[in-house]
Amino acid sequence: MTAVTAATMFDTTRSQALMARARDRFPGGVNSPVRAFGGVGGEPFVVARGAGSRIWDVDGNEYIDYVLSWGPLVLGHAPPAVLEAVQRVMQNGTSFGIPTGLELELADVIAERMPHLEMMRFVSSGTEAAMSVARLARAITGRDHLLKFEGCYHGHADSFLVKAGSGVATLGLPNSPGVPSALAELTLTCAYNDLEAVEKIARSVPLAAILLEPIVGNGGYIEPVPGFIEGLRRIADETGALLVFDEVMTGFRIAFGGARERFGVTPDLTALGKVIGGGLPVAVYGGKREYMSRVAPTGPVYQAGTLSGNPLAMAGGLATLAALTREVHDSITARTARLVHGMRTMAARHGVPFNASHSGSMWGFFFREQTVTNFDEAKTSDTELFKRFFHAARVRGVYLAPSAFEAGFMSSAHSEADIDLTLSKLDDALGAALSGAKG
Ligand code: HOZ
């Protein structure tokens, strides 16, 4: 199929009509900024349904999906085990605001795979988890300053909208109006992987916490260099700061047991989300018992939520983690490796500067020769080529994250045949993108 044919056959009439109406109701027509396609231009599509590795838009176009709701759908779309569990639990009611046994069951599974979460608190979004962790770290240490890394995204709480990644990076907004400067000043930043800068800051300012995505997913996919995470642990210990892993994206993806298993470093506090809800709104924060005991009502650090521990969300998470055995994790990892390897080969064949990598089922790529180690380097990748590649892939039926600064994901529903098909479509798409065509 030539590029022209692929674009011509691609009807988006219904999506366009709905988006035109949506723009009147929602800022940018969306309920979360990256969805507006600001990072790639053009019109977002409106999704109708998903099954396994595929999604279909309201015009009937089919896509192999590598966004997977931005990470949670590690079993793919509408997995029968999750649907059955949620439907079964739903028969007994949708929310109580009273403890249920399901919360304890999900917490036990999480603690079994991540034993450093001795005690935890469920919330409904990654933003809430990160915001609560920051408050707790400040309360434990009696210090106000936080250190985060440029391009890392920890949700949209005031303290974290400073040189953030994800939509903030995609839209080129370094910070956000509305965040009181008095608060923003308490959030210090430096480049990811720059241990020397961390050392300098941590020794001159008393830090409550050093927070990071142990593998960055919100500034594009960026891995820590050997020794970086170990170095952060040492500096935190030596300076009295807490080390916080934001594993909302990486949790149950980069390794069966998350970043602690992958890097052999134990954080003091952890935020998790996405996979632990299997596509329903759940997040959690937790860590050492002595720290988590400071949270109300055992301790004075206040945090609450009407829908926290929601039974439907707990059921979704339990069914997802039950299906995500180590064997299943390993097989998704193997397919991710094959996709990444295939993309490298494809780029080499086309003679394009490119690098791609993955850890477990989380992956990413940049149109740039050298490995990317921080967000400044990510910004030097060829984002114009990325945009053309994104659109060319989309009209050929492969949905990639609509931003050069987001990670990709894989699910257990993606078959070997899906990977083969994806690679052949991406090869064709790259050819079209290099010839300057968007479609
Ligand atoms: N913050 C998410 C990506 N890192 C995007 C969420 C969404 O748009 O749904």
Side-chain angles (χ1 to χ4, degrees):
M1 183 185 297
T2 65
V4 174
T5 317
T8 312
M9 285 173 59
F10 198 74
D11 181 18
T12 57
T13 320
R14 290 197 172 120
S15 275
Q16 285 190 41
L18 284 169
M19 283 310 298
R21 276 178 54 204
R23 268 191 290 275
D24 227 31
R25 278 292 171 216
F26 311 121
V30 291
N31 284 297
S32 191
V34 202
R35 299 178 196 180
F37 277 23
V40 288
E43 187 78 304
F45 59 86
V46 176
V47 72
R49 69 188 181 92
S53 61
R54 311 297 166 110
I55 49 174
W56 289 266
D57 67 22
V58 290
D59 290 286
N61 300 304
E62 177 177 323
Y63 310 86
I64 305 176
D65 182 15
Y66 291 97
V67 183
L68 295 167
S69 189
W70 303 95
L73 305 181
V74 73
L75 306 179
H77 290 273
V82 173
L83 297 189
E84 188 280 319
V86 173
Q87 279 160 6
R88 182 169 29 82
V89 167
M90 197 192 304
Q91 303 307 315
N92 293 328
T94 55
S95 179
F96 301 99
I98 299 170
T100 67
L102 290 167
E103 296 157 68
L104 195 50
E105 276 183 58
L106 183 55
D108 283 349
V109 175
I110 293 171
E112 196 182 295
R113 298 186 194 183
M114 297 190 178
H116 53 298
L117 273 82
E118 293 170 1
M119 198 177 245
M120 63 195 89
R121 165 68 56 83
F122 283 113
V123 290
S124 300
S125 70
T127 289
E128 274 181 84
M131 179 184 81
S132 309
V133 151
R135 181 178 303 142
L136 181 57
R138 283 171 161 152
I140 291 166
T141 57
R143 300 170 173 189
D144 290 337
H145 287 87
L146 304 172
L147 176 64
K148 72 175 282 292
F149 296 94
E150 292 156 14
C152 279
Y153 180 72
H154 305 291
H156 60 87
D158 284 352
S159 286
F160 297 122
L161 286 182
V162 182
K163 295 195 178 166
S166 190
V168 187
T170 300
L171 300 175
L173 306 167
N175 306 309
S176 173
V179 173
S181 52
L183 192 57
E185 279 159 19
L186 297 176
T187 303
L188 308 175
T189 62
C190 70
Y192 197 76
N193 277 322
D194 188 347
L195 210 50
E196 224 173 279
V198 174
E199 188 114 42
K200 209 182 265 177
I201 294 170
R203 296 203 185 280
S204 54
V205 181
L207 295 173
I210 301 172
L211 299 100
L212 79 159
E213 294 178 73
I215 289 182
V216 186
N218 286 292
Y221 176 95
I222 307 174
E223 292 187 358
V225 296
F228 180 61
I229 305 231
E230 295 86 333
L232 295 180
R233 180 68 275 174
R234 173 184 58 76
I235 295 169
D237 288 342
E238 288 173 7
T239 61
L242 299 186
L243 181 63
V244 178
F245 284 178
D246 179 343
E247 288 226 68
V248 170
M249 260 196 189
T250 57
F252 300 108
R253 280 225 171 249
I254 61 169
F256 182 69
R260 178 175 177 266
E261 180 178 310
R262 170 80 159 73
F263 300 110
V265 171
T266 304
D268 297 300
L269 293 168
T270 299
L272 287 167
K274 298 197 191 266
V275 167
I276 64 157
L280 286 97
V282 189
V284 76
Y285 66 101
K288 288 183 187 156
R289 194 174 308 281
E290 64 170 293
Y291 293 154
M292 288 305 292
S293 305
R294 308 278 195 103
V295 176
T298 334
V301 182
Y302 202 74
Q303 179 273 310
T306 299
L307 293 174
S308 298
N310 174 267
L312 307 188
M314 297 295 108
L318 271 168
T320 299
L321 291 184
L324 186 64
T325 58
R326 194 176 276 277
E327 201 185 2
V328 169
H329 169 84
D330 290 348
S331 77
I332 313 175
T333 300
R335 282 198 287 277
T336 315
R338 206 158 79 73
L339 176 71
V340 164
H341 177 76
M343 287 181 76
R344 285 192 200 126
T345 311
M346 159 197 86
R349 201 169 34 247
H350 286 275
V352 187
F354 184 82
N355 70 77
S357 36
H358 81 102
S359 183
S361 60
M362 183 170 158
W363 62 280
F365 67 92
F366 289 103
F367 286 110
R368 178 187 134 109
E369 197 69 62
Q370 307 86 348
T371 309
V372 168
T373 63
N374 61 42
F375 189 52
D376 273 346
E377 291 174 3
K379 286 188 282 189
T380 68
S381 64
D382 189 342
T383 51
E384 288 309 312
L385 178 57
F386 175 86
K387 288 176 193 176
R388 295 198 301 277
F389 180 58
F390 167 84
H391 286 289
R394 182 194 159 196
V395 299
R396 285 164 179 76
V398 176
Y399 182 49
L400 302 170
S403 164
F405 306 124
E406 294 282 356
F409 297 97
M410 183 71 77
S411 82
S412 60
H414 286 71
S415 65
E416 295 290 346
D418 283 335
I419 307 298
D420 290 338
L421 187 59
T422 300
L423 287 170
S424 104
K425 284 172 184 280
L426 290 184
D427 189 71
D428 195 28
L430 187 54
L434 287 167
S435 72
K438 267 192 170 183

